[in-house]
Amino acid sequence: MTGPVSASQAQTGWEAEADLVVVGSGVAGLTAALRAMRLGLRVLVVTKGGIGDGNTRWAQGGVAVVLGDSVAPDDSVAAHVADTVAAGAGLCDTVAARSVIGAGPEAVGLLRREGARFDGDASGRLARTREGGHGALRVIHAGGDATGAEVQRCLVAAANDHTLPVLEHHVAVDAVTTVTGEVCGLRVLAPDATPGLVRTRAVLLATGGLGQLYQVTSNPELATGDGLALALRAGASAADVEFVQFHPTVLYTPGARGRCPLVTEAVRGEGAVLVDGAGKRIMPGVHPLADLAPRDVVSAAITRRLATAPGGVDDHVFLDATGIAGFARRFPTVRAACEAVGVDPAREAIPVAPAAHFACGGVVTDAHGRTDVTGLYAAGEVARTGLHGANRLASNSLLEGLVLGRRAAEAVRADLAGARRAVSSPPADVPAPVAPVAQRPALQRLMSRFAGIGRDAEGLAVAGSVLDVSTVPTPLWTVEAVEDAALTLVARALLAAAAARTESRGCHVRTDHPERDERRWRRSQSVRLNPSGQPVLAHSILEGVA
Ligand code: SIN
């Protein structure tokens, strides 16, 4: 570790001190850490992998942003907000959506000044594409379909230039709080599992998502819901956790498990269409935008088509992109993934299937990343600002990470200056927390079978009961235990919220309640832990949904 953070080795472990600990090094985490450092805070980044790992680098499509130039002269922030709210199926917080989307152009400008290079068109303007749910050409991209990799490259380069202190391959275990519930430290495991303590007045969670709850996902192995679990255990509330977005098109290979390569929605934006095993198109007649309908609609339509496949292929469909000229140049990442499994997208349809992709809900924050625990902040996929509602609009997540990362750093700076809180001393011998842990493969099987696209009361109850009887109290002494405890807790919260929501809306598809129930359910549910650590639903209705 380098930089202005004091660290010492103690016999029982190690200690460090910082004004702000950022957990995670994706777009939200590094944006926040760099901003906080420039504001004069002593920052420490703690990340489970290397600084360049995590979800951001896998993002393909792009960043949705209204630039107000001649590529899309009729587009506007209001239109982008309207598309976001339409995709969000009645649960977006419109105030948050206006606030985040309105800040998009400035955030993208700052990233470009930091050195990010987006693709240009023949006239030298930024190239734009479309993705599902967007009514205009407003998605900028880099390296064709390697937008996340370019954003991550740029932020890592800036972090290195500024010698941002980063603890790589360290895992955050738990927030330490004072008797009055304010954050005063963070427990961390080093790569060799040595426990450490960072004394700090502010922790910003930017840990990404929870795709590893399911057997097949577009998310990397690191996406185990750690930040959400840590926040719940610290006393924060979460909301909208039942809304897990399944991406309609990850590359299908028989029996594949874990992270599978994404086939970006921008491929459909450039004209590809979904067909079933008999070569029949899937989306016409389902939604006016057909193959470019919002993602929840497309994934659900594929799932329905597979369920009714007449004795034919029933676990994947196909994406016909053979009409796209210059596919390899425009989509080099997808092309390479296809090539690795012997598929040539220029000549044959790509086998695809839906897979867990994005947590639309998360730790409840305001539009500046503040949670309801003093000193605890969240930004990026782990957070629930209200931007995404019941289904995120494509390519709004990198935008949210850029905007909220910066804002959260500014909120920390303002709060620390205002509170004049000294660094409190966490108790010296805090025992390792103990949490219920389920076996990961069994948990992933349960969630995929009973809590994917198409859920019902019986299946959700079965999954909950199996979890109840199969978890084992486990001290969080290893990375695996921390991750499995997080997956177990997040699964319980998700199952509770999904069982309670007796309707279908956005990414939450109930086969026993197929209709949307506007009268009872046009509201978000929040979840927190009761004193014995069980997730319970709060009956409060979160304001501002539209
Ligand atoms: C994609 O490129 O299809 C994924 C982008 C996103 O999830 O927003």
Side-chain angles (χ1 to χ4, degrees), residues 30-31 34-35 38 107-117 150-151 153-159 161-162 402 406:
L30 289 183
T31 302
L34 287 163
R35 179 71 183 140
R38 287 167 178 150
V108 167
L110 289 167
L111 185 69
R112 293 181 72 199
R113 281 209 279 291
E114 197 83 79
R117 293 185 293 267
E150 171 58 11
V151 170
R153 180 207 63 76
C154 165
L155 293 172
V156 170
D161 284 353
H162 291 81
L402 289 170
R406 186 173 170 88

Side-chain angles (χ1 to χ4, degrees), residues 326-472:
F327 187 95
R329 197 175 56 253
R330 174 66 181 85
F331 298 109
T333 312
V334 174
R335 162 66 205 263
C338 288
E339 201 170 33
V341 295
V343 172
D344 179 358
R347 299 157 61 94
E348 60 197 308
I350 306 168
V352 291
H357 182 60
F358 190 87
C360 299
V363 185
V364 175
T365 72
D366 66 10
H368 299 268
R370 293 184 182 92
T371 73
D372 44 20
V373 172
T374 304
L376 187 66
Y377 304 77
E381 187 173 349
V382 66
R384 182 268 183 205
T385 58
L387 173 65
H388 308 308
N391 172 58
R392 177 180 61 97
L393 183 68
S395 287
N396 267 355
S397 47
L398 289 178
L399 183 77
E400 188 187 38
L402 289 170
V403 172
L404 264 293
R406 186 173 170 88
R407 283 190 182 169
E410 289 167 359
V412 170
R413 173 80 183 84
D415 294 350
L416 293 186
R420 295 205 173 78
R421 284 192 291 127
V423 176
S424 316
S425 285
D429 292 318
V430 203
V434 174
V437 165
Q439 292 294 316
R440 194 179 304 196
L443 176 79
Q444 290 168 331
R445 264 197 311 278
L446 267 186
M447 295 302 286
S448 301
R449 169 136 187 235
F450 296 117
I453 305 172
R455 309 159 167 181
D456 62 23
E458 199 184 330
L460 291 165
V462 167
S465 311
V466 173
L467 271 190
D468 284 345
V469 297
S470 60
T471 57
V472 176

Side-chain angles (χ1 to χ4, degrees), residues 59-62 131 245 247 262-266 295 357 392-397:
Q60 293 185 356
E131 287 187 63
Q245 184 175 76
H247 196 289
L262 196 61
V263 178
T264 174
E265 206 157 283
R295 222 168 253 180
H357 182 60
R392 177 180 61 97
L393 183 68
S395 287
N396 267 355
S397 47

Side-chain angles (χ1 to χ4, degrees), residues 43-55:
V43 185
L44 175 62
V45 175
V46 171
T47 187
K48 245 181 3 174
I51 185 173
D53 299 338
N55 231 355

Side-chain angles (χ1 to χ4, degrees), residues 248-272:
T249 59
V250 301
L251 184 62
Y252 168 85
T253 44
R257 293 284 180 264
R259 192 191 77 78
C260 292
L262 196 61
V263 178
T264 174
E265 206 157 283
V267 177
R268 276 175 283 135
E270 307 277 336

